[in-house]
Amino acid sequence: METVIDPRTELITTARHFYQQGWMVGTAGNLSVLLSDRSFWITASGVSKGELSHSDFARVYPDGKIETAAPHFKPSAETGIHQLIYHLFPEAQACYHIHSIESNLVARFVVGDSLLLPPLEMLKGLGVWEENPSCTVPIFTNHLQVSQIVAEISDRFQINPPKIPALLIRDHGITVWASSWQTARNYIELIDYIFRYMLAVRQLGLEGDNNN
């Protein structure tokens, strides 16, 4: 008989890994995974991502109902972004958001609303199988009210869906989504690699910084 693994176990492991990378320091960041009934588990607000337990999650249902292990627990402040991602991209089964230094620095490379990525081999891991691809990550303003960020993401993505499953919130962090929690973890690592490369190019003054 096949053992069913609680998806929260995988999120705990992933969050601890991201915490150790310096991507989810303090209580920053949020991870979610979709369930078969279209509800999803998401990390609770105000908890250390390096020390999560199974009770440190909220379950959010399609009708808006929320279940938590304790009355004082609340789902992540960015829950609305996860809800929107699962609505706009039905194939998405996991959504991860981290606060990395690299994602905040590269978002400052441009004043516009998109960041051009270098045509690295790593883009294949994000589903881009083109020779010398022109690929961008959309950038959104970090409004105090998350609902405003959600509205702006919805408005733009319904007209112009992103080429890769990722978005930047300026001075905030990177969000990715994927068809499995394993793939979402890979996407975070691939995006971070690309961002670190872009920073190194800037620091070394090399040619190939496509955002100049």
Side-chain angles (χ1 to χ4, degrees):
M1 182 176 179
E2 185 177 355
T3 301
V4 177
I5 299 175
D6 188 327
R8 288 174 294 178
T9 302
E10 304 298 343
L11 294 185
I12 289 169
T13 300
T14 298
R16 185 179 299 116
H17 171 65
F18 288 172
Y19 175 84
Q20 292 168 347
Q21 302 304 310
W23 298 339
M24 301 184 85
V25 298
T27 64
N30 39 81
L31 310 176
S32 73
V33 62
L34 194 70
L35 304 177
S36 59
D37 63 356
R38 303 299 294 179
S39 67
F40 60 90
W41 285 115
I42 188 168
T43 47
S45 178
V47 296
S48 171
K49 304 310 183 295
E51 302 175 341
L52 290 174
S53 69
H54 284 76
S55 62
D56 293 326
F57 291 84
R59 188 168 180 177
V60 182
Y61 290 85
D63 63 2
K65 177 185 175 184
I66 297 174
E67 288 183 358
T68 59
H72 66 280
F73 268 20
K74 295 180 179 179
S76 167
E78 279 93 26
T79 294
I81 296 175
H82 293 247
Q83 289 175 306
L84 177 65
I85 292 300
Y86 292 132
H87 173 69
L88 292 179
F89 307 103
E91 71 281 4
Q93 297 292 313
C95 183
Y96 292 174
H97 169 66
I98 63 168
H99 292 221
S100 67
I101 293 174
E102 292 81 5
S103 63
N104 286 325
L105 288 174
V106 297
R108 287 178 169 265
F109 284 2
V110 294
V111 296
D113 61 5
S114 64
L115 176 73
L116 181 63
L117 301 180
L120 298 178
E121 179 74 10
M122 287 296 188
L123 288 174
K124 290 182 180 178
L126 295 166
V128 180
W129 290 81
E130 301 172 13
E131 189 168 345
N132 297 316
S134 178
C135 189
T136 62
V137 176
I139 303 175
F140 295 88
T141 301
N142 185 32
H143 300 291
L144 179 62
Q145 299 298 325
V146 176
S147 59
Q148 189 172 352
I149 304 175
V150 172
E152 291 182 3
I153 295 172
S154 178
D155 289 346
R156 194 190 309 181
F157 280 4
Q158 290 190 65
I159 297 173
N160 186 25
K163 189 170 186 178
I164 63 172
L167 64 89
L168 278 164
I169 302 175
R170 200 182 300 275
D171 299 330
H172 189 156
I174 183 77
T175 298
V176 306
W177 55 96
S179 59
S180 71
W181 63 264
Q182 301 99 321
T183 304
R185 177 170 169 165
N186 290 340
Y187 283 178
I188 285 285
E189 293 180 347
L190 291 168
I191 285 283
D192 178 74
Y193 175 93
I194 294 170
F195 289 169
R196 284 188 285 119
Y197 171 87
M198 295 172 70
L199 288 169
V201 166
R202 278 286 178 108
Q203 292 165 352
L204 296 173
L206 300 175
E207 294 182 359
D209 184 346
N210 295 322
N211 293 283
N212 280 335

